Amino acid sequence: MSAPGFPPAIFLMGPTASGKTALAVSLVERFPLEIVSVDSALVYRGMDIGTAKPDAATLARAPHHLLDIRDPAEAYSAAAFRGDALRLMAGIVARGRVPLLVGGTMLYFRALLQGLDDLPRADASLRTELEAAAAARGWPALHAELATVDPVTAARLAPNDSQRIGRALEIFQLTGKPMSALLDRAQSELPYRVLQLALIPSDRAALHQRIAARFDAMLAEGLLAEVETLRRDYVLTPDLPSMRAVGYRQAWACLDGDIDMQALREQGIAATRQLAKRQLTWLRSWPGAVALDCLAQDMESRACALVQAHLQARST
């Protein structure tokens, strides 16, 4: 993934319930690796059951970085993750070990690999003006206008792609620079030789069974009580990133009396399946990833062989 001469690193990516943590622990016990969590929910304190956070015994075998670093009332962004991950990876390498980044938050993996753009936030008043202009003249006319100021972006957009045309024109008017130039500037190579492993199930139905079983286990372990405790101990609202996490959103609704326990279970499982579907969509188009069937009997041995070869490879 990155240029020769860089130290090795490993990405272990996969949908929820694909067995990432178990495989990561196995790899740590065989190779000089340190785990950095790549999960937007595991960063929150007190959110243990609904995030399937590794328990104390697992963490004793394989410590994880970036767990329990935020209160659930706080935000955590891809930019914050990238800064934390780069710092931790450098420290791991300085200790003579290899970073193993494990998780399913694909936006965080992308931010780490590609860097972050420096695009301005949406401007509501400007967006209203652009939509009014489109209503009067049509989106093809605004597409033509975009082509005069940002031909690179215009060339990859359909003339009626209202959302992206509007965003590109908005960025140009806010910054005076074409979006394509800002995106190009944002790309920054990750200074590691990265082996990217993607756990992709050969049977979607089997993954769905795992998801249902795990959600039932979460309910049995006290997911509802966990959310009740969080609501008591912190000043939370249902629109916070932490409480929008799968399982927590449904538990919140149940505690508010909007849904019953049966609906909590059904909606929680359905939402987790949708999350897994989105993660798999990312992974199937992810450049450079080596796919491993997380349901295969030889998955762990294949992963170990790939990691061993990656660590033994000499830079040229």
Side-chain angles (χ1 to χ4, degrees), residues 253-300:
C254 186
L255 288 171
D256 278 354
D258 297 332
I259 59 175
D260 60 17
M261 283 297 295
Q262 181 63 26
L264 163 59
R265 177 184 182 274
E266 292 171 357
Q267 293 180 20
I269 291 171
T272 309
R273 287 171 59 165
Q274 286 298 314
L275 170 61
K277 182 179 179 180
R278 292 193 298 272
Q279 291 168 318
L280 286 168
T281 298
W282 278 82
L283 286 168
R284 290 198 172 98
S285 61
W286 196 266
V290 180
L292 294 173
D293 180 5
C294 62
L295 305 174
Q297 293 293 322
D298 65 346
M299 183 268 290
E300 184 175 314

Side-chain angles (χ1 to χ4, degrees), residues 92-114:
I92 291 168
V93 171
R95 291 190 288 275
R97 302 176 72 80
V98 175
L100 170 60
L101 290 99
V102 182
T105 303
M106 303 308 299
L107 178 63
Y108 286 9
F109 278 115
R110 187 177 73 176
L112 188 56
L113 277 175
Q114 299 180 356

Side-chain angles (χ1 to χ4, degrees), residues 120-132 166-167 170 174:
R121 291 186 176 183
D123 184 291
S125 61
L126 181 52
R127 182 61 58 89
T128 299
E129 291 177 15
L130 288 167
E131 289 174 351
R167 178 60 174 154
E170 179 185 50
L174 288 172

Side-chain angles (χ1 to χ4, degrees), residues 1-184:
M1 186 69 198
S2 300
F6 289 144
I10 299 161
F11 287 3
L12 178 54
M13 309 174 289
T16 185
S18 59
K20 297 182 296 295
T21 299
L23 177 57
V25 171
S26 179
L27 292 173
V28 164
E29 292 179 334
R30 288 172 168 80
F31 303 102
L33 311 176
E34 282 189 38
I35 296 174
V36 178
S37 171
V38 187
D39 190 295
S40 60
L42 290 179
V43 299
Y44 292 114
R45 303 181 188 99
M47 292 175 56
D48 303 331
I49 296 172
T51 62
K53 189 174 291 178
D55 60 19
T58 301
L59 293 175
R61 294 168 60 196
H64 286 49
H65 296 286
L66 297 185
L67 301 187
D68 301 326
I69 61 170
R70 290 285 192 280
D71 286 340
E74 298 176 310
Y76 191 68
S77 66
F81 166 78
R82 189 173 198 272
D84 287 342
L86 288 172
R87 171 181 52 81
L88 288 165
M89 292 171 77
I92 291 168
V93 171
R95 291 190 288 275
R97 302 176 72 80
V98 175
L100 170 60
L101 290 99
V102 182
T105 303
M106 303 308 299
L107 178 63
Y108 286 9
F109 278 115
R110 187 177 73 176
L112 188 56
L113 277 175
Q114 299 180 356
L116 292 156
D117 61 52
D118 193 25
L119 303 181
R121 291 186 176 183
D123 184 291
S125 61
L126 181 52
R127 182 61 58 89
T128 299
E129 291 177 15
L130 288 167
E131 289 174 351
R137 297 160 48 206
W139 283 108
L142 269 68
H143 182 262
E145 182 180 319
L146 177 63
T148 66
V149 297
D150 188 354
V152 174
T153 298
R156 63 180 179 82
L157 299 181
N160 285 305
D161 190 342
S162 57
Q163 181 178 355
R164 292 180 175 85
I165 293 169
R167 178 60 174 154
L169 284 171
E170 179 185 50
I171 288 168
F172 180 78
Q173 293 188 31
L174 288 172
T175 67
K177 299 175 182 176
M179 184 173 74
S180 55
L182 294 175
L183 290 174
D184 284 345

